[in-house]
Amino acid sequence: MISLSHVTKLYGSVIGVNDVTVDLGAGAYGLLGPNGAGKTTFLGLVTGQLRPSIGVVRVFGERPFCNARVLRRIGYCPASDLTERSATPREWVRYLVQLSGFTPAAARRLAEETLEQVGLGEAAGRPLSTLSKGMRQRAKLAGAMAHDPDLLVLDEPFDGLDPVARHELVTLVRTWARSRSLLVASHLLHEVEALQAGLAVILGGRLVASGSVHEINQLIDTLPSEVRVVSTAPRRLAELACRCPEAEAVRFVGADAFIVDTRAPRLLADRVVEAANAEGILIRELVPGDRSLEGIFGRLVQVHRGVAP
Amino acid sequence: MAVASFQINRLLTPPRLALAAIGAAFPTAVLLAATKARGGALDTDLGAILLYFLVPEAVCMLGLLVTICPVVADELERGTWVHIAVRPGGRRALLLGTWLAAVLWTGVVALVGLLLAVLAGVIENGLILLGPFSVLVCLSCIGRAALFSLPAVIIPKRALVASVGVALVVEYLAGLIPAVVNQLTVSLRLRTLLVRFMDWRRNMPIQLQLLVDDRPPWAQVAAVLILAVVFLTIAVAILEWRQFPPSEES
């Protein structure tokens, strides 16, 4: 469905995406990466707003840039806020559907149905400027979905939503993606996990990993990591930790802490806790590796560069 | 049509309506001041000259500058460009729809201005100017909206300044050069039609005759329509080819 072959996008001397090669078949995918990683550029290439500087982008087997056949099958919800002030969601969605080639009557019907679907039925007649950010986000989503595309591309779609609205929209998008394809860009792993989508991880314009959430988690677990332990008996506990087959090296940090190098941080942490319980040692702090998104990205980059296996 | 009606709805705000009212009242105000200065009604020829510079030139030009120039810049600023760019034919529809909205909006303002000026009774036999000047207003709007769409798509964020430059250099400077270059201007066609309508050519000095075209009125109308089609085709081609990096969108 989406195929990028050695695609690089340059903005002058700034690299948007760098030598990306990926094939995504029909289905749901999450494009994960921190801010500035190149997600929006990737989506811009897929949705035909941008031309690659090098390489070839194909969507549904064709180059998408200004290609009406491809664009007719894509729905795109950008990350930027909708600052159209005077129009109402009803007028806005109807306008977009008409731009997709539908008659005014069909556009009216599709707009009403989709606004109802995203939970904006009652607020559809209010000017966009009077709506909350979450409601404007729903209006954007309705605009992307109303013409019933085969591929829905969403850029940070749940930004600014409260947890209830987030849950509702995740459910809506997940239901929608059962019968059609979905590509969601996000910097939050749990958002993509909630969509039960495959993952492509992008960082610094490079695609550093792709696969299912389970595969990515497995990959992350095989990367060199650290477990930091603060306890009342650090030397004894370090000795016990050394007996675990997952421990690769131990070093002391200060008087009451030590760090264990491992490739299985979660498993090692469990073993250290078990050993401490058996010996009656109090653990004050146990941090099983850097589980922050930046930490994970950093380690995936190491894999990508061949620094780590 | 969807874009045109959406753009006209965007123009229906109190500040824009106030601006349109000022634009419509402006020619009458200037003509009234001229009448007062002369101490009586203006003769038809002088009235026609003043009306020509006030309505098809000044009002149309200013109206078009504020309606067609922000065609892309406004969408980038509002964050709506991306929604339109991903629609099949969205870019083309945006340009042509906004062009139509600009022509209709400015045309209505200019025609109301013309009507008020004629009905104010400050020009002798002013009513005979109504028909010919309506044609000039329509052609001015059609041709110049298309002309200003070029800077609007080439340099969206400086489109207003660039369009003023285009108006001065192309329409007024190149339009007054008696050479091939003035054939490509709308002002030559409008001037020629004015001279024809007013039947001034026979009494014009030979030097001034160089500033108008010899071909019949239908050829002038056709020339404006052809220029509009050419300008719009080029503008659409440029817009279809343009890319706006995410950083350029608000």
Side-chain angles (χ1 to χ4, degrees):
Chain A
M1 178 185 64
I2 297 171
S3 162
L4 277 76
S5 174
H6 298 290
V7 169
T8 296
K9 178 63 192 173
L10 299 166
Y11 304 113
S13 58
V14 178
I15 296 179
V17 297
N18 188 0
D19 194 25
V20 171
T21 297
V22 67
D23 271 301
L24 302 174
Y29 298 92
L31 184 65
L32 197 63
N35 293 330
K39 300 188 297 293
T40 301
T41 299
F42 186 100
L43 298 188
L45 290 162
V46 168
T47 54
Q49 301 163 61
L50 302 171
R51 282 187 305 275
S53 309
I54 303 169
V56 180
V57 178
R58 288 188 189 280
V59 179
F60 302 119
E62 295 186 66
R63 291 173 197 244
F65 186 79
C66 278
N67 183 334
R69 276 191 305 279
V70 175
L71 296 184
R72 197 163 286 126
R73 299 176 66 186
I74 295 178
Y76 181 50
C77 175
S80 54
D81 193 14
L82 189 58
T83 52
E84 179 67 45
R85 290 288 160 202
S86 50
T88 65
R90 182 177 287 126
E91 289 165 347
W92 175 245
V93 176
R94 200 187 297 169
Y95 172 58
L96 292 182
V97 177
Q98 278 187 263
L99 282 180
S100 289
F102 288 82
T103 61
R108 193 174 303 122
R109 180 179 53 78
L110 289 169
E112 292 298 334
E113 282 172 12
T114 317
L115 286 165
E116 202 64 51
Q117 214 179 346
V118 300
L120 262 187
E122 283 177 21
R126 280 169 52 192
L128 282 160
S129 56
T130 64
L131 301 182
S132 66
K133 189 175 180 201
M135 285 171 136
R136 288 201 301 273
Q137 200 74 3
R138 286 167 191 257
K140 273 179 10 186
L141 195 58
M145 293 165 74
H147 62 291
D148 198 24
D150 294 324
L151 168 64
L152 187 60
V153 181
L154 311 175
D155 193 357
E156 307 281 3
F158 311 120
D159 244 17
L161 297 181
D162 60 67
V164 177
R166 191 177 290 238
H167 175 73
E168 283 173 10
L169 286 193
V170 164
T171 310
L172 174 73
V173 171
R174 202 163 55 196
T175 311
W176 194 92
R178 279 189 197 134
S179 54
R180 282 152 289 192
S181 296
L182 176 72
L183 178 60
V184 179
S186 176
H187 61 276
L188 299 171
L189 182 60
H190 65 86
E191 271 186 8
V192 181
E193 276 179 321
L195 289 169
Q196 297 164 355
L199 273 181
V201 182
I202 192 166
L203 184 70
R206 283 182 174 271
L207 193 72
V208 293
S210 61
S212 66
V213 172
H214 179 66
E215 284 167 341
I216 298 286
N217 271 330
Q218 272 189 333
L219 181 63
I220 291 165
D221 281 347
T222 63
L223 301 176
S225 184
E226 293 178 343
V227 177
R228 185 172 184 274
V229 187
V230 180
S231 102
T232 50
R235 297 203 171 264
R236 174 64 186 148
L237 196 55
E239 188 188 333
L240 295 170
C242 283
R243 291 181 192 161
C244 300
E246 293 80 20
E248 292 181 357
V250 175
R251 63 183 187 278
F252 288 94
V253 185
D256 58 350
F258 64 94
I259 290 171
V260 188
D261 292 344
T262 179
R263 283 167 200 272
R266 280 186 271 204
L267 190 58
L268 183 94
D270 289 346
R271 289 190 195 276
V272 169
V273 171
E274 274 172 30
N277 279 342
E279 295 269 328
I281 299 169
L282 177 68
I283 294 177
R284 290 204 182 112
E285 190 182 316
L286 189 145
V287 186
D290 184 0
R291 303 298 296 173
S292 70
L293 201 60
E294 282 70 22
I296 292 167
F297 285 141
R299 277 179 282 139
L300 286 171
V301 168
Q302 285 184 321
V303 172
H304 185 72
R305 289 178 181 159
V307 176
Chain B
M1 284 307 287
V3 176
S5 96
F6 195 80
Q7 297 287 29
I8 287 173
N9 275 339
R10 273 179 175 175
L11 289 168
L12 292 173
T13 60
R16 292 280 191 162
L17 288 169
L19 206 62
I22 291 169
F26 172 67
T28 310
V30 173
L31 287 174
L32 282 171
T35 313
K36 204 166 185 184
R38 281 178 66 92
L42 304 169
D43 64 69
T44 312
D45 286 350
L46 180 60
I49 291 170
L50 283 176
L51 208 53
Y52 174 75
F53 284 110
L54 288 169
V55 185
E57 293 293 337
V59 173
C60 287
M61 202 80 98
L62 291 173
L64 294 169
L65 283 173
V66 297
T67 48
I68 192 76
C69 288
V71 56
V72 177
D74 246 16
E75 305 298 333
L76 288 170
E77 211 170 278
R78 290 168 195 254
T80 48
W81 165 256
V82 63
H83 294 268
I84 292 162
V86 297
R87 305 281 154 177
R91 296 165 187 237
R92 189 183 319 133
L94 173 71
L95 187 75
L96 298 180
T98 309
W99 172 82
L100 183 59
V103 169
L104 291 174
W105 178 264
T106 309
V108 167
V109 172
L111 288 174
V112 170
L114 175 67
L115 194 64
L116 290 176
V118 168
L119 293 179
V122 289
I123 303 172
E124 286 170 11
N125 300 319
L127 280 174
I128 60 161
L129 300 177
L130 201 55
F133 272 73
S134 299
V135 174
L136 293 180
V137 164
C138 292
L139 291 174
S140 175
C141 289
I142 289 169
R144 284 168 174 159
L147 176 66
F148 295 152
S149 71
L150 286 170
V153 298
I154 296 168
I155 33 171
K157 291 187 177 173
R158 298 278 179 275
L160 194 62
V161 177
S163 295
V164 172
V166 166
L168 293 174
V169 175
V170 177
E171 282 296 290
Y172 295 125
L173 190 63
L176 291 172
I177 298 172
V180 177
V181 67
N182 77 353
Q183 300 291 314
L184 300 173
T185 64
V186 176
S187 60
L188 172 75
R189 311 299 165 185
L190 299 184
R191 226 169 30 236
T192 303
L193 284 172
L194 175 69
V195 169
R196 289 275 183 167
F197 289 146
M198 300 307 294
D199 201 16
W200 287 338
R201 195 175 168 86
R202 275 173 296 177
N203 303 324
M204 278 172 86
I206 189 76
Q207 296 89 337
L208 283 181
Q209 283 187 24
L210 291 172
L211 298 179
V212 294
D213 195 48
D214 294 331
R215 280 166 281 244
W218 68 264
Q220 309 306 324
V221 174
V224 173
L225 297 180
I226 290 167
L227 281 174
V229 170
V230 170
F231 292 149
L232 283 174
T233 307
I234 296 170
V236 166
I238 293 169
L239 194 59
E240 296 262 346
W241 197 244
R242 283 218 63 168
Q243 303 174 84
F244 294 99
S247 58
E248 281 193 36
E249 292 157 26
S250 61

